[in-house]
């Protein structure tokens, strides 16, 4: 009781001064706290940001810096720094074959992306129609294709298309096309690129089909029912229902495919090292030839910078759309 | 400087966008005080030295140097240039490396190898194999010691030769072609039989035919090289290659001797001859052990009867990277390797020894005899740092062969295109 009394009397007795002081104190503490609160997310993010800058930003910066240096094996092992300004760029850009290679890379990427996204979409739509058993079989088959290591798949394709021992030529001859007896698929750049393109499409389809199938099953059934009631044909249903619903996803997987296919190296190099006569040389192959085969690391870095510039140019529209969307959020 | 090096290594890794093979060595035995435990990292190539040699060598070396451990690592030829580039650029390269003789000039000119000019006499300099000497020097200095050489010979099935009624090994091109016809006639019932397995891109074999005609791949004017594949001699060599391939081979025209491994094709028993290296008999014998006794060898015949064609003297050099932290030990290691004892073991293993003129141990097998017979007529590819890019990049000689053999290009067009590409690579 006394305690209560004391407290009761104490509050009015100490008057108004402690309360405002406390309030001021509290307010100040809260403002301090909110500054910390505001800084805290950044502090928590800092290690990740620093790690990302170190892991991604620094090498990118290094590549740009390296592209202005003369850096062959000699300079590299002795730690010499020789600046050459734009020499590496003029060297590459004055090379007539560079433009052929750049154009070939763009055309090859476009063809592979178009075919693989198209085929992936077709399979995704097909999976919605077929019976569950067939669907599972299809999915397992694609999963196996997806799980196959790059080089193993490349070796299998080399073997299929082998001039003398390949199963393709043997099969074609068996079904009566005797012209394919000993036919070589790798005597021209176009033919070599087609075989490599086929391999890359084959490897890309599982991911595309699965992603797009996820999009397809997300489209509400009642929209199809409504289309059915309106008497829409299959093609009209696709255009009016499926296409608009899938478009954002399609855009994204197309963009991803573009990035992947533009920088494909392993399969192309393993097949014919960019041959015959440089007929299947793309920008990543050129980069390898300059960088490792000739040990001209500065020139190779310049090729990388040009590649990134070209890629940015190709994906300009997508990036713009992406940034605008992010802005809306 | 260290920082820049790190930057450059990082930049390279990204610029090339290929997972480089790390050098893997993490030991930091940087002090060179005697008695302290030290590790000598030695890289030799797969198939180079028999284990009888390396086991004894490493044991003797460790015994003679207290506290020293030899870390002996075997590398694969496939992709070795990339691996060496990465290793030599690192802070901790191996101490002793084996290099192909066509690659040495490149690494020497980049100043990544230790100058051995002062050590020649202690490394048996007067006994060095002359055919490899050019590949050891750059700018008047010695950057490597010859290790061994081997050249291609025609490996053949003695039993099939006998069955076809061929009594003596061919000693001229005409006899060689005649032997192919006899073998084909004797095995006409087997559609898979090949008298001679010759893949379309076996360009080391092509070198022999071009040299035999008196031609060459490139000519030098001072330090500048220009291709000479469009000469009449080179064309004649290419023509003969086609003639030979059409006469006896069903091999693919668009692959080289490594894909598939020609020794493995031979090992399946449907091939009577192939142009190969001594140790390929061993590879073939893995599939069929009886092949070891059934395989003979003769030198690649010349168009002049009774002579042998010049052969590419493939071989290896050993060198010490400039960045090695145990250069004194590495030199000691080379000294021991160049001694007669180990060179004899090398010859017994079937290679022409690099630092000993004594090849008596080599001539004990038929393959070794053929090797010893043709080795004096050996030649090497142009000694220029740019040659390494010809082999590791897009080899114009291979493109030329495939284009001509498949009929995609005429002989003038094929040789002209290849010559332009070769001149460009050698020029820059």
């Amino acid at each position: 009781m006394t305690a209560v009394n004391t407290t009761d009397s104490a509050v009015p007795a100490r008057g108004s001064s402690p309360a405002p002081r406390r309030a001021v104190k509290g307010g100040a503490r809260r403002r301090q706290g909110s500054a910390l609160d505001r800084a805290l997310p950044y502090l928590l993010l800092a290690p990740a940001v620093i790690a990302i800058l170190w892991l991604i930003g620094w090498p990118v910066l290094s590549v740009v810096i390296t592209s202005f240096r003369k850096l062959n094996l000699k300079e590299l092992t002795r730690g010499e720094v020789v600046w050459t300004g734009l020499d590496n760029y003029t060297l590459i850009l004055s090379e007539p074959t560079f433009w052929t290679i750049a154009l070939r890379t763009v055309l090859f990427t476009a063809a592979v992306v178009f075919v693989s996204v198209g085929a992936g979409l077709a399979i995704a739509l097909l999976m919605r129609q077929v019976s569950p058993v067939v669907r599972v079989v299809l999915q397992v088959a694609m999963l196996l294709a997806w799980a196959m290591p790059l080089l193993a798949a490349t070796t299998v394709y080399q073997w299929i298309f082998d001039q003398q021992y390949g199963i393709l030529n043997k099969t074609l001859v068996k079904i009566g096309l005797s012209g394919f007896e000993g036919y070589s698929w790798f005597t021209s750049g176009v033919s070599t690129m087609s075989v490599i393109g086929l391999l890359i499409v084959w490897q890309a389809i599982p991911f595309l089909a699965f992603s797009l199938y996820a999009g397809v099953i997300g489209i509400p059934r009642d929209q199809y029912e409504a289309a059915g009631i309106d008497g829409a044909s299959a093609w009209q249903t696709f255009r009016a229902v499926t296409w608009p619903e899938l478009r954002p996803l399609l855009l994204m997987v197309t963009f991803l495919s573009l990035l992947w296919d533009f920088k494909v190296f392993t399969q192309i190099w393993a097949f014919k090292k960019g041959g015959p006569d440089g007929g299947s040389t793309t920008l990543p192959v050129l980069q390898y030839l300059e960088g490792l085969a000739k040990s001209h690391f500065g020139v190779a870095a310049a090729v990388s910078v040009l590649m990134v510039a070209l890629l940015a140019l190709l994906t300009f529209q997508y990036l713009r759309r992406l940034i605008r969307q992010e802005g809306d959020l | 400087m260290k920082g820049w090096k790190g930057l450059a290594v990082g930049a390279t890794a990204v610029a090339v966008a290929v997972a480089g093979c790390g050098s893997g060595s993490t030991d930091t035995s940087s002090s060179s005080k005697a008695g302290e435990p030290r590790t000598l990292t030695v890289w030799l190539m797969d198939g180079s030295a028999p284990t009888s040699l390396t086991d004894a060598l490493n044991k003797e070396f460790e015994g003679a140097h207290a506290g020293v451990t030899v870390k002996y690592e075997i590398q694969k030829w496939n992709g070795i240039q990339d691996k060496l580039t990465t290793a030599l650029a690192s802070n901790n390269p191996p101490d002793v490396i084996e290099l192909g003789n066509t690659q040495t000039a490149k690494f020497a000119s980049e100043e990544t190898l230790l100058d051995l000019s002062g050590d020649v006499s202690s490394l048996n300099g007067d006994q060095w194999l002359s055919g490899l000497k050019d590949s050891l020097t750059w700018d008047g200095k010695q950057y490597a010691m010859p290790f061994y050489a081997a050249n291609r010979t025609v490996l053949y099935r003695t039993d099939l030769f006998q069955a076809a009624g061929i009594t003596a090994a061919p000693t001229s091109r005409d006899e060689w072609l005649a032997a192919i016809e006899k073998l084909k006639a004797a095995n006409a019932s087997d559609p898979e039989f090949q008298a001679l397995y010759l893949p379309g891109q076996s360009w080391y074999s092509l070198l022999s035919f071009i040299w035999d005609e008196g031609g060459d791949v490139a000519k030098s004017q001072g330090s500048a090289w220009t291709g000479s594949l469009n000469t009449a001699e080179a064309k004649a060599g290419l023509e003969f290659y086609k003639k030979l391939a059409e006469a006896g081979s069903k091999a693919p025209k668009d692959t080289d001797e490594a894909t598939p491994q020609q020794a493995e094709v031979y090992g399946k028993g449907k091939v009577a001859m192939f142009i190969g290296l001594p140790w390929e008999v061993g590879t073939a014998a893995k599939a069929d052990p009886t092949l070891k006794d059934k395989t003979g060898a003769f030198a690649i015949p010349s168009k002049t009867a009774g002579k042998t064609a010049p052969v590419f003297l493939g071989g290896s050099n050993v060198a010490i990277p400039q960045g090695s932290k145990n250069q004194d030990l590495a030199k000691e290691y080379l000294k021991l390797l160049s001694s007669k004892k180990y060179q004899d073991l090398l010859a017994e293993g079937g290679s022409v020894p690099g630092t000993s003129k004594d090849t008596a141990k080599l001539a004990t097998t038929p393959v070794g005899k053929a090797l010893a017979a043709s080795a004096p007529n050996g030649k090497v590819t142009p000694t220029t740092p740019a040659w390494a890019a010809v082999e590791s990049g897009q080899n114009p000689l291979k493109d030329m062969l495939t284009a001509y053999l498949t009929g995609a290009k005429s002989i003038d067009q094929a040789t002209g295109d290849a010559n332009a590409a070769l001149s460009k690579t050698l020029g820059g």
Side-chain angles (χ1 to χ4, degrees):
Chain A
M1 280 297 267
T2 40
V4 173
N5 279 341
T6 333
T7 328
D8 278 347
S9 62
V11 176
R14 282 194 186 156
S16 55
S17 63
R21 207 197 294 150
R22 206 186 296 148
V24 168
K25 234 195 207 165
R29 204 188 296 135
R30 199 170 300 136
R31 212 181 295 146
Q32 269 174 4
S34 80
L36 184 73
D37 281 351
R38 238 178 290 150
L40 194 64
Y42 296 102
L43 286 175
L44 288 173
L45 273 176
V49 170
I50 291 168
I52 288 171
L53 280 180
W54 173 248
L55 284 173
I56 297 171
W58 180 236
V60 168
L61 191 68
S62 303
V63 170
V64 176
I65 293 171
T66 307
S67 71
F68 297 109
R69 285 174 59 185
K70 182 188 175 198
L71 186 68
N72 299 342
L73 194 57
K74 178 179 160 188
E75 285 78 20
L76 184 63
T77 45
R78 314 183 116 209
E80 282 172 18
V81 179
V82 186
W83 299 101
T84 56
L86 289 169
D87 280 9
N88 291 337
Y89 290 95
T90 37
L91 182 80
I92 298 163
L93 295 175
S94 62
E95 184 90 21
T97 50
F98 173 79
W99 297 105
T100 320
I101 292 170
L103 185 68
R104 181 185 298 129
T105 312
V106 171
L107 290 178
F108 176 71
T109 309
V112 171
V113 169
F114 182 77
V115 175
S116 54
V117 173
L121 179 64
I123 291 176
L125 294 173
L126 181 76
M127 277 206 284
R128 211 175 59 113
Q129 304 293 337
V130 295
S131 74
V133 179
V134 179
R135 188 160 61 227
V136 167
V137 171
L138 204 59
Q139 285 175 340
V140 168
M142 284 201 297
L143 217 57
L144 289 176
W146 182 240
M148 194 151 171
L150 282 187
L151 273 177
T154 309
T155 310
V156 169
Y157 266 68
Q158 276 177 316
W159 174 59
I160 291 174
F161 286 91
D162 188 279
Q163 188 190 14
Q164 209 59 46
Y165 306 103
I167 198 157
L168 181 73
N169 281 354
K170 282 189 177 167
T171 312
L172 288 173
V173 169
K174 270 222 172 99
I175 60 170
L177 300 164
S178 57
F180 283 97
E181 171 91 60
Y183 180 79
S184 170
W185 293 89
F186 304 111
T187 50
S188 82
V190 177
S191 165
T192 308
M193 286 306 263
S194 309
V195 174
I196 298 170
L198 193 69
L199 166 67
I200 294 168
V201 167
W202 178 80
Q203 286 173 324
I205 280 176
F207 172 77
L208 293 168
F210 276 116
S211 307
L212 291 171
Y213 179 60
V216 167
I217 52 177
I219 302 171
R221 286 239 159 234
D222 46 6
Q223 290 197 19
Y224 286 103
E225 279 163 23
I229 290 163
D230 288 344
S233 68
W235 173 242
Q236 282 170 327
T237 314
F238 176 76
R239 276 197 51 189
V241 179
T242 316
W243 182 253
E245 289 279 342
L246 273 186
R247 218 172 49 180
L249 189 62
L250 263 172
L251 197 67
M252 195 199 74
V253 294
T254 308
F255 176 66
L256 284 180
S257 302
L258 208 65
L259 293 185
W260 281 328
D261 297 340
F262 189 77
K263 62 184 179 65
V264 160
F265 170 77
T266 317
Q267 296 95 322
I268 298 179
W269 186 257
F271 250 103
K272 285 288 149 192
K273 300 195 171 172
D277 288 336
S280 65
T281 301
T282 56
L283 287 173
V285 174
L286 178 70
Q287 200 184 29
Y288 176 87
L289 286 173
E290 287 296 335
L292 276 181
K294 294 188 187 165
S295 309
H296 294 167
F297 306 110
V299 182
V303 176
S304 323
V305 173
L306 290 172
M307 265 176 77
V308 173
L310 194 59
L311 199 57
L313 212 69
L314 284 178
T315 54
F316 173 69
Q317 280 295 334
Y318 179 81
L319 289 174
R320 216 176 58 165
R321 212 176 287 199
L322 196 73
I323 289 164
R324 206 188 296 153
Q325 267 175 11
E326 293 286 328
D328 288 346
L329 289 172
Chain B
M1 224 169 85
K2 278 269 157 71
W4 277 114
K5 209 184 262 185
L7 167 86
V9 171
T12 312
V14 173
V16 179
V18 180
C21 341
S23 68
S25 76
T26 47
D27 56 315
T28 48
S29 51
S30 51
S31 78
S32 53
K33 281 175 217 148
E36 260 181 44
R38 288 200 281 171
T39 307
L40 189 79
T41 310
V42 177
W43 281 13
L44 295 186
M45 303 305 301
D46 189 25
S48 281
T51 45
S52 59
L53 187 161
T54 52
D55 287 351
L57 176 69
N58 293 338
K59 204 174 157 200
E60 184 176 339
F61 188 78
E62 283 178 355
H65 298 84
V68 173
T69 322
V70 176
K71 193 169 154 205
Y72 174 60
E73 294 175 12
I74 299 175
Q75 306 294 332
K76 295 262 177 216
W77 279 112
N78 203 354
I80 188 61
Q81 194 168 320
D82 301 350
K83 194 159 184 186
L84 280 174
T85 302
T86 327
L88 291 177
S90 79
N91 286 327
N92 213 344
D95 301 303
V96 174
I97 52 170
E98 180 183 342
L99 296 152
N101 57 352
T102 56
Q103 299 169 325
T104 312
K106 175 198 150 94
F107 287 109
S109 73
E110 302 272 18
E111 297 178 33
T112 55
L113 304 179
L114 191 68
D115 181 4
L116 296 175
S117 304
D119 304 283
V120 174
S121 59
S122 70
L123 300 174
N124 267 343
D126 55 330
Q127 294 280 307
W128 286 5
L129 190 66
S130 55
L132 288 177
K133 266 186 184 157
D134 270 353
S135 75
L136 308 166
T137 50
W138 176 251
D139 219 11
K141 289 179 188 160
Q142 293 283 334
Y143 285 100
M145 174 186 104
F147 189 16
Y148 68 89
N151 50 259
R152 281 157 182 80
T153 59
V154 185
L155 302 169
Y156 72 102
R157 285 272 298 271
T158 47
D159 57 331
L160 292 179
F161 265 52
Q162 237 165 13
I166 308 164
T167 47
T171 55
S172 72
R173 281 185 182 179
D174 290 334
E175 283 180 33
W176 197 9
L177 289 167
I180 288 175
E181 291 311 321
K182 278 186 189 165
L183 284 164
K184 280 203 302 196
N187 296 278
S189 58
D190 186 350
E192 284 182 49
F193 176 79
Q194 300 188 61
L196 170 74
Y197 182 85
L198 184 65
Q201 298 186 336
S202 181
W203 67 281
Y204 290 115
S205 306
L206 175 68
L207 289 180
S208 279
F209 306 147
I210 293 179
W211 284 333
D212 191 33
E213 297 283 348
D216 211 337
V217 278
K219 284 194 281 271
S220 72
Q221 290 137 344
S223 63
W225 290 81
T226 43
S228 55
L229 290 173
N230 53 355
T231 56
E233 292 87 3
K235 283 178 194 169
L238 186 57
E239 292 279 21
F240 179 69
Y241 192 106
K242 190 177 188 186
K243 199 172 174 183
L244 201 60
E246 282 176 353
S249 179
K250 290 176 183 157
K253 296 180 177 75
D254 53 10
T255 57
D256 60 17
E257 65 280 1
T259 42
Q261 284 287 342
Q262 58 175 4
E264 283 167 16
V265 177
Y266 175 75
K268 290 190 183 122
K270 301 280 187 188
V271 169
M273 292 186 267
F274 73 105
I275 303 173
L277 288 160
W279 51 82
E280 290 190 88
V281 181
T283 313
K286 276 181 201 158
D288 180 3
T290 64
L291 281 176
K292 209 149 211 170
D293 301 324
K294 286 194 288 199
T295 301
F298 57 90
I300 298 173
S302 163
K303 64 174 183 173
T304 319
K307 281 178 75 177
T308 66
V311 280
F312 171 67
L313 203 56
S316 279
N317 302 325
V318 269
I320 304 173
Q322 203 158 54
S324 160
K325 306 220 164 70
N326 300 302
Q327 294 179 350
D328 50 334
L329 273 182
K331 279 183 187 172
E332 291 286 310
Y333 192 85
L334 258 51
K335 198 174 163 182
L336 193 60
L337 180 59
S338 69
S339 65
K340 188 168 176 344
K341 177 182 167 190
Y342 293 104
Q343 293 296 311
D344 277 353
L345 282 171
L346 208 51
E348 251 172 61
S351 312
V352 183
T355 59
S356 168
K357 289 206 158 80
D358 179 14
T359 54
K361 298 268 189 221
L362 182 62
T364 50
T365 63
V367 179
K369 247 182 215 156
L371 202 67
S374 47
N377 205 1
K379 289 180 125 185
V380 290
T381 52
T383 317
T384 154
W387 185 263
V390 174
E391 284 189 42
S392 75
Q394 300 170 338
N395 190 336
L397 289 149
K398 288 186 174 183
D399 285 339
M400 174 175 87
L401 277 166
T402 296
Y404 182 54
L405 293 180
T406 56
K409 286 180 190 170
S410 70
I411 189 151
D412 291 332
Q413 206 191 346
T415 52
D417 287 355
N419 201 52
L422 183 68
S423 296
K424 199 178 148 218
T425 310
L426 293 182

